[in-house]
């Protein structure tokens, strides 16, 4: 149970600004054979999506503090994410799994008031898909 909780929190933190390596932990647990692969995929996906929801909430409710030093994204990151989000709309959330740009995109979705239901649906597809591809590669299927 501790391993699954560790995976959940690593995946959650990896979707926020706190550096974490959920992929390495997922693969390590998968190769250990101590848990069903589907369960590992589910735990990692749920944790990572919830981390993105935290970014969405941050964007939704704290965007009026963007000029403060403690705000987690720089003005340049915010501008880039907002531009991409406005250009591609909610489909840009399919890139929410991409390092460096994914977290600001999820924040921009909150700032631009993307409906939470659609946000969760697209981000789950993107992040769950990323973990699935990683598992398939590690198992030698791709």
């Amino acid at each position: 149970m501790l391993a699954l909780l560790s995976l959940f929190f690593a995946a959650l933190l990896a979707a926020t600004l706190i550096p974490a390596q959920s992929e390495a932990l997922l693969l390590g647990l998968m190769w250990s054979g101590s848990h069903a692969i589907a369960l590992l995929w589910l735990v990692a996906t749920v944790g990572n999506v919830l981390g993105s929801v935290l970014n969405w909430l941050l964007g939704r409710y704290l965007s009026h503090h963007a000029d403060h030093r403690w705000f987690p994204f720089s003005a340049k990151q915010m501008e880039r994410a907002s531009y991409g989000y406005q250009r591609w709309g909610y489909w840009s959330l399919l890139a929410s799994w991409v390092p460096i740009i994914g977290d600001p995109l999820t924040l921009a979705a909150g700032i631009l008031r993307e409906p939470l239901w659609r946000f969760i649906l697209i981000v789950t597809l993107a992040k769950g898909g990323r973990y699935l591809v990683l598992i398939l590669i590690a198992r030698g299927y791709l």
Side-chain angles (χ1 to χ4, degrees), residues 88-137:
W88 299 102
Y90 56 82
W91 293 114
S92 65
L93 291 171
L94 289 172
S96 62
W97 67 271
V98 178
I100 300 171
I101 67 167
D103 297 340
L105 274 175
T106 59
L107 183 80
I111 291 169
L112 297 172
R113 306 231 180 253
E114 179 62 43
L116 183 59
W117 70 268
R118 184 166 46 206
F119 175 87
I120 291 173
L121 178 66
I122 295 172
V123 169
T124 300
L125 288 172
K127 292 181 177 256
R130 183 248 338 245
Y131 283 125
L132 179 60
V133 167
L134 180 67
I135 288 169
L136 292 174
I137 290 170

mmCIF file of all heavy atoms in Angstrom, residues 88-137:
data_model
loop_
_atom_site.group_PDB
_atom_site.id
_atom_site.type_symbol
_atom_site.label_atom_id
_atom_site.label_comp_id
_atom_site.label_asym_id
_atom_site.label_seq_id
_atom_site.Cartn_x
_atom_site.Cartn_y
_atom_site.Cartn_z
ATOM 1 N N TRP A 88 -5.200 27.194 -29.729
ATOM 2 C CA TRP A 88 -5.667 25.828 -29.976
ATOM 3 C C TRP A 88 -6.908 25.456 -29.165
ATOM 4 O O TRP A 88 -7.472 24.390 -29.374
ATOM 5 C CB TRP A 88 -4.558 24.832 -29.686
ATOM 6 C CG TRP A 88 -3.365 25.043 -30.557
ATOM 7 C CD1 TRP A 88 -2.198 25.660 -30.202
ATOM 8 C CD2 TRP A 88 -3.224 24.694 -31.924
ATOM 9 N NE1 TRP A 88 -1.340 25.701 -31.264
ATOM 10 C CE2 TRP A 88 -1.942 25.109 -32.342
ATOM 11 C CE3 TRP A 88 -4.057 24.060 -32.850
ATOM 12 C CZ2 TRP A 88 -1.484 24.912 -33.638
ATOM 13 C CZ3 TRP A 88 -3.575 23.861 -34.133
ATOM 14 C CH2 TRP A 88 -2.317 24.290 -34.510
ATOM 15 N N GLY A 89 -7.278 26.293 -28.203
ATOM 16 C CA GLY A 89 -8.452 26.000 -27.391
ATOM 17 C C GLY A 89 -8.236 24.813 -26.476
ATOM 18 O O GLY A 89 -7.105 24.459 -26.142
ATOM 19 N N TYR A 90 -9.320 24.177 -26.081
ATOM 20 C CA TYR A 90 -9.213 23.079 -25.122
ATOM 21 C C TYR A 90 -8.437 21.881 -25.668
ATOM 22 O O TYR A 90 -7.940 21.072 -24.896
ATOM 23 C CB TYR A 90 -10.573 22.654 -24.591
ATOM 24 C CG TYR A 90 -11.589 22.255 -25.633
ATOM 25 C CD1 TYR A 90 -11.591 20.989 -26.188
ATOM 26 C CD2 TYR A 90 -12.568 23.156 -26.042
ATOM 27 C CE1 TYR A 90 -12.530 20.610 -27.121
ATOM 28 C CE2 TYR A 90 -13.516 22.791 -26.977
ATOM 29 C CZ TYR A 90 -13.496 21.521 -27.517
ATOM 30 O OH TYR A 90 -14.436 21.151 -28.442
ATOM 31 N N TRP A 91 -8.280 21.766 -26.986
ATOM 32 C CA TRP A 91 -7.492 20.659 -27.538
ATOM 33 C C TRP A 91 -6.025 20.770 -27.156
ATOM 34 O O TRP A 91 -5.297 19.776 -27.188
ATOM 35 C CB TRP A 91 -7.649 20.564 -29.055
ATOM 36 C CG TRP A 91 -9.035 20.166 -29.430
ATOM 37 C CD1 TRP A 91 -9.940 20.926 -30.103
ATOM 38 C CD2 TRP A 91 -9.702 18.934 -29.122
ATOM 39 N NE1 TRP A 91 -11.132 20.238 -30.239
ATOM 40 C CE2 TRP A 91 -11.006 19.003 -29.638
ATOM 41 C CE3 TRP A 91 -9.315 17.774 -28.450
ATOM 42 C CZ2 TRP A 91 -11.918 17.966 -29.515
ATOM 43 C CZ3 TRP A 91 -10.232 16.743 -28.319
ATOM 44 C CH2 TRP A 91 -11.512 16.843 -28.847
ATOM 45 N N SER A 92 -5.584 21.976 -26.798
ATOM 46 C CA SER A 92 -4.192 22.120 -26.366
ATOM 47 C C SER A 92 -3.918 21.321 -25.098
ATOM 48 O O SER A 92 -2.775 20.987 -24.810
ATOM 49 C CB SER A 92 -3.839 23.588 -26.149
ATOM 50 O OG SER A 92 -4.593 24.130 -25.086
ATOM 51 N N LEU A 93 -4.963 20.986 -24.362
ATOM 52 C CA LEU A 93 -4.787 20.190 -23.141
ATOM 53 C C LEU A 93 -4.290 18.772 -23.443
ATOM 54 O O LEU A 93 -3.815 18.092 -22.541
ATOM 55 C CB LEU A 93 -6.087 20.138 -22.344
ATOM 56 C CG LEU A 93 -6.501 21.460 -21.714
ATOM 57 C CD1 LEU A 93 -7.902 21.363 -21.137
ATOM 58 C CD2 LEU A 93 -5.498 21.890 -20.659
ATOM 59 N N LEU A 94 -4.371 18.348 -24.695
ATOM 60 C CA LEU A 94 -3.780 17.055 -25.060
ATOM 61 C C LEU A 94 -2.267 17.076 -24.863
ATOM 62 O O LEU A 94 -1.637 16.026 -24.754
ATOM 63 C CB LEU A 94 -4.134 16.685 -26.499
ATOM 64 C CG LEU A 94 -5.596 16.304 -26.729
ATOM 65 C CD1 LEU A 94 -5.877 16.137 -28.217
ATOM 66 C CD2 LEU A 94 -5.969 15.046 -25.955
ATOM 67 N N ALA A 95 -1.687 18.274 -24.787
ATOM 68 C CA ALA A 95 -0.249 18.421 -24.527
ATOM 69 C C ALA A 95 0.034 18.627 -23.045
ATOM 70 O O ALA A 95 1.161 18.964 -22.669
ATOM 71 C CB ALA A 95 0.315 19.582 -25.341
ATOM 72 N N SER A 96 -0.932 18.396 -22.187
ATOM 73 C CA SER A 96 -0.741 18.609 -20.747
ATOM 74 C C SER A 96 0.299 17.669 -20.152
ATOM 75 O O SER A 96 0.829 17.937 -19.084
ATOM 76 C CB SER A 96 -2.069 18.469 -20.002
ATOM 77 O OG SER A 96 -2.599 17.171 -20.153
ATOM 78 N N TRP A 97 0.623 16.596 -20.827
ATOM 79 C CA TRP A 97 1.619 15.642 -20.332
ATOM 80 C C TRP A 97 3.044 16.063 -20.679
ATOM 81 O O TRP A 97 4.003 15.534 -20.114
ATOM 82 C CB TRP A 97 1.360 14.254 -20.908
ATOM 83 C CG TRP A 97 1.590 14.179 -22.376
ATOM 84 C CD1 TRP A 97 0.672 14.434 -23.350
ATOM 85 C CD2 TRP A 97 2.803 13.879 -23.044
ATOM 86 N NE1 TRP A 97 1.250 14.305 -24.588
ATOM 87 C CE2 TRP A 97 2.573 13.962 -24.431
ATOM 88 C CE3 TRP A 97 4.083 13.543 -22.602
ATOM 89 C CZ2 TRP A 97 3.548 13.721 -25.380
ATOM 90 C CZ3 TRP A 97 5.062 13.308 -23.549
ATOM 91 C CH2 TRP A 97 4.793 13.393 -24.920
ATOM 92 N N VAL A 98 3.198 17.010 -21.577
ATOM 93 C CA VAL A 98 4.514 17.400 -22.068
ATOM 94 C C VAL A 98 5.278 18.177 -20.992
ATOM 95 O O VAL A 98 4.748 19.134 -20.430
ATOM 96 C CB VAL A 98 4.391 18.253 -23.354
ATOM 97 C CG1 VAL A 98 5.755 18.707 -23.849
ATOM 98 C CG2 VAL A 98 3.652 17.473 -24.434
ATOM 99 N N PRO A 99 6.513 17.782 -20.696
ATOM 100 C CA PRO A 99 7.296 18.529 -19.706
ATOM 101 C C PRO A 99 7.438 20.004 -20.092
ATOM 102 O O PRO A 99 7.454 20.348 -21.271
ATOM 103 C CB PRO A 99 8.662 17.829 -19.738
ATOM 104 C CG PRO A 99 8.373 16.465 -20.267
ATOM 105 C CD PRO A 99 7.228 16.626 -21.228
ATOM 106 N N ILE A 100 7.517 20.839 -19.122
ATOM 107 C CA ILE A 100 7.717 22.282 -19.199
ATOM 108 C C ILE A 100 6.467 23.034 -19.660
ATOM 109 O O ILE A 100 6.076 23.986 -19.020
ATOM 110 C CB ILE A 100 8.948 22.672 -20.072
ATOM 111 C CG1 ILE A 100 10.208 22.051 -19.470
ATOM 112 C CG2 ILE A 100 9.073 24.180 -20.184
ATOM 113 C CD1 ILE A 100 11.430 22.186 -20.338
ATOM 114 N N ILE A 101 5.810 22.608 -20.744
ATOM 115 C CA ILE A 101 4.647 23.362 -21.213
ATOM 116 C C ILE A 101 3.325 22.851 -20.644
ATOM 117 O O ILE A 101 2.336 23.569 -20.619
ATOM 118 C CB ILE A 101 4.556 23.399 -22.754
ATOM 119 C CG1 ILE A 101 4.282 22.014 -23.321
ATOM 120 C CG2 ILE A 101 5.773 24.031 -23.358
ATOM 121 C CD1 ILE A 101 3.864 22.027 -24.775
ATOM 122 N N GLY A 102 3.290 21.608 -20.201
ATOM 123 C CA GLY A 102 2.039 21.017 -19.736
ATOM 124 C C GLY A 102 1.458 21.684 -18.508
ATOM 125 O O GLY A 102 0.255 21.969 -18.457
ATOM 126 N N ASP A 103 2.294 21.947 -17.510
ATOM 127 C CA ASP A 103 1.797 22.572 -16.278
ATOM 128 C C ASP A 103 1.257 23.976 -16.523
ATOM 129 O O ASP A 103 0.158 24.301 -16.072
ATOM 130 C CB ASP A 103 2.880 22.581 -15.202
ATOM 131 C CG ASP A 103 3.306 21.175 -14.799
ATOM 132 O OD1 ASP A 103 2.537 20.223 -15.049
ATOM 133 O OD2 ASP A 103 4.397 21.025 -14.239
ATOM 134 N N PRO A 104 1.979 24.833 -17.257
ATOM 135 C CA PRO A 104 1.404 26.148 -17.554
ATOM 136 C C PRO A 104 0.115 26.073 -18.378
ATOM 137 O O PRO A 104 -0.775 26.909 -18.217
ATOM 138 C CB PRO A 104 2.515 26.871 -18.325
ATOM 139 C CG PRO A 104 3.766 26.212 -17.889
ATOM 140 C CD PRO A 104 3.393 24.772 -17.653
ATOM 141 N N LEU A 105 -0.009 25.074 -19.243
ATOM 142 C CA LEU A 105 -1.251 24.923 -20.003
ATOM 143 C C LEU A 105 -2.435 24.637 -19.089
ATOM 144 O O LEU A 105 -3.522 25.171 -19.288
ATOM 145 C CB LEU A 105 -1.129 23.789 -21.026
ATOM 146 C CG LEU A 105 -0.527 24.130 -22.368
ATOM 147 C CD1 LEU A 105 -0.361 22.873 -23.202
ATOM 148 C CD2 LEU A 105 -1.353 25.154 -23.102
ATOM 149 N N THR A 106 -2.213 23.789 -18.090
ATOM 150 C CA THR A 106 -3.312 23.475 -17.175
ATOM 151 C C THR A 106 -3.669 24.679 -16.314
ATOM 152 O O THR A 106 -4.824 24.888 -15.978
ATOM 153 C CB THR A 106 -2.994 22.246 -16.306
ATOM 154 O OG1 THR A 106 -1.806 22.474 -15.550
ATOM 155 C CG2 THR A 106 -2.816 21.004 -17.168
ATOM 156 N N LEU A 107 -2.677 25.481 -15.989
ATOM 157 C CA LEU A 107 -2.933 26.729 -15.267
ATOM 158 C C LEU A 107 -3.716 27.694 -16.151
ATOM 159 O O LEU A 107 -4.689 28.312 -15.707
ATOM 160 C CB LEU A 107 -1.618 27.357 -14.825
ATOM 161 C CG LEU A 107 -1.763 28.625 -14.003
ATOM 162 C CD1 LEU A 107 -2.097 28.278 -12.568
ATOM 163 C CD2 LEU A 107 -0.496 29.441 -14.074
ATOM 164 N N ALA A 108 -3.306 27.816 -17.407
ATOM 165 C CA ALA A 108 -3.997 28.707 -18.345
ATOM 166 C C ALA A 108 -5.450 28.282 -18.531
ATOM 167 O O ALA A 108 -6.337 29.127 -18.654
ATOM 168 C CB ALA A 108 -3.270 28.721 -19.685
ATOM 169 N N ALA A 109 -5.700 26.985 -18.520
ATOM 170 C CA ALA A 109 -7.073 26.499 -18.648
ATOM 171 C C ALA A 109 -7.941 27.009 -17.496
ATOM 172 O O ALA A 109 -9.105 27.363 -17.687
ATOM 173 C CB ALA A 109 -7.100 24.977 -18.701
ATOM 174 N N GLY A 110 -7.372 27.047 -16.310
ATOM 175 C CA GLY A 110 -8.112 27.593 -15.170
ATOM 176 C C GLY A 110 -8.333 29.085 -15.299
ATOM 177 O O GLY A 110 -9.428 29.597 -15.043
ATOM 178 N N ILE A 111 -7.302 29.799 -15.699
ATOM 179 C CA ILE A 111 -7.411 31.246 -15.868
ATOM 180 C C ILE A 111 -8.467 31.585 -16.916
ATOM 181 O O ILE A 111 -9.270 32.507 -16.741
ATOM 182 C CB ILE A 111 -6.049 31.857 -16.270
ATOM 183 C CG1 ILE A 111 -5.081 31.760 -15.091
ATOM 184 C CG2 ILE A 111 -6.190 33.292 -16.745
ATOM 185 C CD1 ILE A 111 -3.646 32.090 -15.448
ATOM 186 N N LEU A 112 -8.483 30.823 -18.011
ATOM 187 C CA LEU A 112 -9.421 31.087 -19.103
ATOM 188 C C LEU A 112 -10.766 30.396 -18.888
ATOM 189 O O LEU A 112 -11.600 30.346 -19.786
ATOM 190 C CB LEU A 112 -8.789 30.669 -20.431
ATOM 191 C CG LEU A 112 -7.527 31.466 -20.784
ATOM 192 C CD1 LEU A 112 -6.835 30.875 -21.996
ATOM 193 C CD2 LEU A 112 -7.851 32.939 -21.002
ATOM 194 N N ARG A 113 -10.959 29.861 -17.698
ATOM 195 C CA ARG A 113 -12.241 29.309 -17.257
ATOM 196 C C ARG A 113 -12.755 28.133 -18.097
ATOM 197 O O ARG A 113 -13.935 28.028 -18.414
ATOM 198 C CB ARG A 113 -13.295 30.412 -17.189
ATOM 199 C CG ARG A 113 -12.853 31.584 -16.329
ATOM 200 C CD ARG A 113 -13.896 31.912 -15.324
ATOM 201 N NE ARG A 113 -13.516 33.022 -14.487
ATOM 202 C CZ ARG A 113 -13.153 32.892 -13.225
ATOM 203 N NH1 ARG A 113 -13.104 31.723 -12.674
ATOM 204 N NH2 ARG A 113 -12.853 33.945 -12.504
ATOM 205 N N GLU A 114 -11.821 27.250 -18.445
ATOM 206 C CA GLU A 114 -12.210 26.017 -19.127
ATOM 207 C C GLU A 114 -13.118 25.235 -18.180
ATOM 208 O O GLU A 114 -12.802 25.095 -17.002
ATOM 209 C CB GLU A 114 -10.966 25.193 -19.462
ATOM 210 C CG GLU A 114 -11.252 23.882 -20.151
ATOM 211 C CD GLU A 114 -11.926 24.060 -21.484
ATOM 212 O OE1 GLU A 114 -11.502 24.961 -22.252
ATOM 213 O OE2 GLU A 114 -12.879 23.312 -21.756
ATOM 214 N N PRO A 115 -14.255 24.727 -18.660
ATOM 215 C CA PRO A 115 -15.123 23.931 -17.780
ATOM 216 C C PRO A 115 -14.367 22.730 -17.201
ATOM 217 O O PRO A 115 -13.656 22.023 -17.929
ATOM 218 C CB PRO A 115 -16.248 23.476 -18.707
ATOM 219 C CG PRO A 115 -16.261 24.467 -19.825
ATOM 220 C CD PRO A 115 -14.826 24.896 -19.997
ATOM 221 N N LEU A 116 -14.528 22.513 -15.911
ATOM 222 C CA LEU A 116 -13.785 21.465 -15.223
ATOM 223 C C LEU A 116 -14.060 20.087 -15.821
ATOM 224 O O LEU A 116 -13.139 19.284 -15.955
ATOM 225 C CB LEU A 116 -14.096 21.484 -13.722
ATOM 226 C CG LEU A 116 -13.328 20.490 -12.868
ATOM 227 C CD1 LEU A 116 -11.822 20.709 -12.985
ATOM 228 C CD2 LEU A 116 -13.760 20.592 -11.413
ATOM 229 N N TRP A 117 -15.279 19.787 -16.183
ATOM 230 C CA TRP A 117 -15.605 18.456 -16.725
ATOM 231 C C TRP A 117 -14.813 18.175 -17.992
ATOM 232 O O TRP A 117 -14.288 17.079 -18.161
ATOM 233 C CB TRP A 117 -17.108 18.307 -16.978
ATOM 234 C CG TRP A 117 -17.629 19.123 -18.117
ATOM 235 C CD1 TRP A 117 -18.158 20.380 -18.066
ATOM 236 C CD2 TRP A 117 -17.644 18.753 -19.503
ATOM 237 N NE1 TRP A 117 -18.507 20.808 -19.323
ATOM 238 C CE2 TRP A 117 -18.208 19.829 -20.228
ATOM 239 C CE3 TRP A 117 -17.237 17.619 -20.205
ATOM 240 C CZ2 TRP A 117 -18.367 19.803 -21.612
ATOM 241 C CZ3 TRP A 117 -17.405 17.591 -21.592
ATOM 242 C CH2 TRP A 117 -17.973 18.680 -22.271
ATOM 243 N N ARG A 118 -14.717 19.164 -18.886
ATOM 244 C CA ARG A 118 -13.985 18.963 -20.137
ATOM 245 C C ARG A 118 -12.481 18.914 -19.870
ATOM 246 O O ARG A 118 -11.744 18.134 -20.469
ATOM 247 C CB ARG A 118 -14.325 20.054 -21.140
ATOM 248 C CG ARG A 118 -13.655 19.821 -22.473
ATOM 249 C CD ARG A 118 -14.194 20.663 -23.599
ATOM 250 N NE ARG A 118 -14.360 22.044 -23.249
ATOM 251 C CZ ARG A 118 -15.248 22.852 -23.845
ATOM 252 N NH1 ARG A 118 -16.044 22.398 -24.800
ATOM 253 N NH2 ARG A 118 -15.350 24.105 -23.488
ATOM 254 N N PHE A 119 -12.035 19.752 -18.947
ATOM 255 C CA PHE A 119 -10.627 19.759 -18.547
ATOM 256 C C PHE A 119 -10.215 18.370 -18.067
ATOM 257 O O PHE A 119 -9.226 17.804 -18.522
ATOM 258 C CB PHE A 119 -10.410 20.808 -17.446
ATOM 259 C CG PHE A 119 -9.032 20.814 -16.879
ATOM 260 C CD1 PHE A 119 -8.031 21.555 -17.472
ATOM 261 C CD2 PHE A 119 -8.734 20.080 -15.734
ATOM 262 C CE1 PHE A 119 -6.748 21.570 -16.945
ATOM 263 C CE2 PHE A 119 -7.459 20.084 -15.201
ATOM 264 C CZ PHE A 119 -6.462 20.834 -15.808
ATOM 265 N N ILE A 120 -10.980 17.810 -17.141
ATOM 266 C CA ILE A 120 -10.654 16.494 -16.576
ATOM 267 C C ILE A 120 -10.688 15.416 -17.658
ATOM 268 O O ILE A 120 -9.809 14.553 -17.712
ATOM 269 C CB ILE A 120 -11.589 16.144 -15.403
ATOM 270 C CG1 ILE A 120 -11.280 17.061 -14.209
ATOM 271 C CG2 ILE A 120 -11.470 14.671 -15.020
ATOM 272 C CD1 ILE A 120 -12.242 16.918 -13.052
ATOM 273 N N LEU A 121 -11.662 15.477 -18.540
ATOM 274 C CA LEU A 121 -11.766 14.477 -19.604
ATOM 275 C C LEU A 121 -10.533 14.490 -20.509
ATOM 276 O O LEU A 121 -9.899 13.447 -20.743
ATOM 277 C CB LEU A 121 -13.028 14.720 -20.431
ATOM 278 C CG LEU A 121 -13.243 13.776 -21.608
ATOM 279 C CD1 LEU A 121 -13.497 12.361 -21.122
ATOM 280 C CD2 LEU A 121 -14.396 14.259 -22.466
ATOM 281 N N ILE A 122 -10.155 15.656 -21.009
ATOM 282 C CA ILE A 122 -9.033 15.742 -21.954
ATOM 283 C C ILE A 122 -7.698 15.460 -21.256
ATOM 284 O O ILE A 122 -6.842 14.744 -21.788
ATOM 285 C CB ILE A 122 -9.022 17.116 -22.656
ATOM 286 C CG1 ILE A 122 -10.276 17.247 -23.519
ATOM 287 C CG2 ILE A 122 -7.771 17.277 -23.508
ATOM 288 C CD1 ILE A 122 -10.481 18.620 -24.106
ATOM 289 N N VAL A 123 -7.517 16.006 -20.053
ATOM 290 C CA VAL A 123 -6.264 15.789 -19.328
ATOM 291 C C VAL A 123 -6.115 14.307 -18.955
ATOM 292 O O VAL A 123 -5.012 13.760 -19.027
ATOM 293 C CB VAL A 123 -6.177 16.718 -18.099
ATOM 294 C CG1 VAL A 123 -5.034 16.325 -17.183
ATOM 295 C CG2 VAL A 123 -6.024 18.169 -18.551
ATOM 296 N N THR A 124 -7.199 13.658 -18.607
ATOM 297 C CA THR A 124 -7.138 12.227 -18.301
ATOM 298 C C THR A 124 -6.736 11.422 -19.530
ATOM 299 O O THR A 124 -5.910 10.502 -19.433
ATOM 300 C CB THR A 124 -8.491 11.728 -17.746
ATOM 301 O OG1 THR A 124 -8.799 12.459 -16.547
ATOM 302 C CG2 THR A 124 -8.459 10.242 -17.447
ATOM 303 N N LEU A 125 -7.288 11.764 -20.676
ATOM 304 C CA LEU A 125 -6.891 11.085 -21.917
ATOM 305 C C LEU A 125 -5.404 11.283 -22.190
ATOM 306 O O LEU A 125 -4.697 10.331 -22.543
ATOM 307 C CB LEU A 125 -7.713 11.607 -23.092
ATOM 308 C CG LEU A 125 -9.172 11.180 -23.141
ATOM 309 C CD1 LEU A 125 -9.915 11.936 -24.248
ATOM 310 C CD2 LEU A 125 -9.284 9.685 -23.349
ATOM 311 N N ALA A 126 -4.929 12.509 -22.028
ATOM 312 C CA ALA A 126 -3.523 12.813 -22.323
ATOM 313 C C ALA A 126 -2.579 12.128 -21.342
ATOM 314 O O ALA A 126 -1.616 11.464 -21.743
ATOM 315 C CB ALA A 126 -3.308 14.325 -22.301
ATOM 316 N N LYS A 127 -2.847 12.285 -20.073
ATOM 317 C CA LYS A 127 -1.924 11.761 -19.066
ATOM 318 C C LYS A 127 -2.035 10.248 -18.926
ATOM 319 O O LYS A 127 -1.032 9.548 -18.783
ATOM 320 C CB LYS A 127 -2.140 12.477 -17.748
ATOM 321 C CG LYS A 127 -1.701 13.938 -17.879
ATOM 322 C CD LYS A 127 -1.868 14.702 -16.617
ATOM 323 C CE LYS A 127 -1.358 16.105 -16.791
ATOM 324 N NZ LYS A 127 -0.067 16.333 -16.179
ATOM 325 N N GLY A 128 -3.249 9.728 -18.993
ATOM 326 C CA GLY A 128 -3.423 8.282 -18.973
ATOM 327 C C GLY A 128 -2.806 7.635 -20.201
ATOM 328 O O GLY A 128 -2.193 6.567 -20.115
ATOM 329 N N GLY A 129 -2.942 8.302 -21.339
ATOM 330 C CA GLY A 129 -2.333 7.808 -22.570
ATOM 331 C C GLY A 129 -0.823 7.785 -22.493
ATOM 332 O O GLY A 129 -0.173 6.836 -22.961
ATOM 333 N N ARG A 130 -0.252 8.817 -21.889
ATOM 334 C CA ARG A 130 1.204 8.861 -21.737
ATOM 335 C C ARG A 130 1.697 7.701 -20.885
ATOM 336 O O ARG A 130 2.659 7.018 -21.232
ATOM 337 C CB ARG A 130 1.621 10.189 -21.096
ATOM 338 C CG ARG A 130 3.108 10.399 -20.947
ATOM 339 C CD ARG A 130 3.693 10.413 -19.558
ATOM 340 N NE ARG A 130 2.843 10.691 -18.466
ATOM 341 C CZ ARG A 130 2.940 11.751 -17.685
ATOM 342 N NH1 ARG A 130 3.837 12.672 -17.932
ATOM 343 N NH2 ARG A 130 2.151 11.898 -16.648
ATOM 344 N N TYR A 131 1.038 7.451 -19.751
ATOM 345 C CA TYR A 131 1.448 6.333 -18.892
ATOM 346 C C TYR A 131 1.243 4.988 -19.607
ATOM 347 O O TYR A 131 2.053 4.082 -19.465
ATOM 348 C CB TYR A 131 0.688 6.342 -17.573
ATOM 349 C CG TYR A 131 1.173 7.375 -16.584
ATOM 350 C CD1 TYR A 131 0.299 8.300 -16.027
ATOM 351 C CD2 TYR A 131 2.503 7.427 -16.187
ATOM 352 C CE1 TYR A 131 0.741 9.240 -15.116
ATOM 353 C CE2 TYR A 131 2.950 8.362 -15.284
ATOM 354 C CZ TYR A 131 2.060 9.273 -14.742
ATOM 355 O OH TYR A 131 2.505 10.197 -13.836
ATOM 356 N N LEU A 132 0.169 4.871 -20.370
ATOM 357 C CA LEU A 132 -0.083 3.632 -21.100
ATOM 358 C C LEU A 132 1.020 3.376 -22.129
ATOM 359 O O LEU A 132 1.542 2.257 -22.228
ATOM 360 C CB LEU A 132 -1.445 3.678 -21.788
ATOM 361 C CG LEU A 132 -1.828 2.448 -22.600
ATOM 362 C CD1 LEU A 132 -1.870 1.202 -21.721
ATOM 363 C CD2 LEU A 132 -3.158 2.671 -23.297
ATOM 364 N N VAL A 133 1.390 4.402 -22.885
ATOM 365 C CA VAL A 133 2.465 4.253 -23.874
ATOM 366 C C VAL A 133 3.772 3.880 -23.175
ATOM 367 O O VAL A 133 4.514 3.004 -23.641
ATOM 368 C CB VAL A 133 2.609 5.529 -24.726
ATOM 369 C CG1 VAL A 133 3.896 5.523 -25.532
ATOM 370 C CG2 VAL A 133 1.397 5.693 -25.634
ATOM 371 N N LEU A 134 4.059 4.518 -22.052
ATOM 372 C CA LEU A 134 5.269 4.201 -21.301
ATOM 373 C C LEU A 134 5.281 2.730 -20.871
ATOM 374 O O LEU A 134 6.293 2.037 -21.021
ATOM 375 C CB LEU A 134 5.372 5.118 -20.078
ATOM 376 C CG LEU A 134 6.577 4.921 -19.182
ATOM 377 C CD1 LEU A 134 7.852 5.319 -19.901
ATOM 378 C CD2 LEU A 134 6.401 5.754 -17.902
ATOM 379 N N ILE A 135 4.162 2.265 -20.368
ATOM 380 C CA ILE A 135 4.057 0.859 -19.937
ATOM 381 C C ILE A 135 4.230 -0.079 -21.131
ATOM 382 O O ILE A 135 4.951 -1.079 -21.057
ATOM 383 C CB ILE A 135 2.711 0.623 -19.228
ATOM 384 C CG1 ILE A 135 2.725 1.306 -17.843
ATOM 385 C CG2 ILE A 135 2.419 -0.869 -19.087
ATOM 386 C CD1 ILE A 135 1.356 1.361 -17.179
ATOM 387 N N LEU A 136 3.575 0.247 -22.230
ATOM 388 C CA LEU A 136 3.678 -0.605 -23.411
ATOM 389 C C LEU A 136 5.096 -0.673 -23.953
ATOM 390 O O LEU A 136 5.573 -1.735 -24.362
ATOM 391 C CB LEU A 136 2.702 -0.132 -24.502
ATOM 392 C CG LEU A 136 1.216 -0.323 -24.179
ATOM 393 C CD1 LEU A 136 0.356 0.321 -25.257
ATOM 394 C CD2 LEU A 136 0.858 -1.780 -23.992
ATOM 395 N N ILE A 137 5.792 0.461 -23.948
ATOM 396 C CA ILE A 137 7.192 0.473 -24.380
ATOM 397 C C ILE A 137 8.043 -0.377 -23.442
ATOM 398 O O ILE A 137 8.857 -1.189 -23.870
ATOM 399 C CB ILE A 137 7.721 1.915 -24.483
ATOM 400 C CG1 ILE A 137 7.074 2.629 -25.664
ATOM 401 C CG2 ILE A 137 9.243 1.948 -24.589
ATOM 402 C CD1 ILE A 137 7.344 4.118 -25.718
#
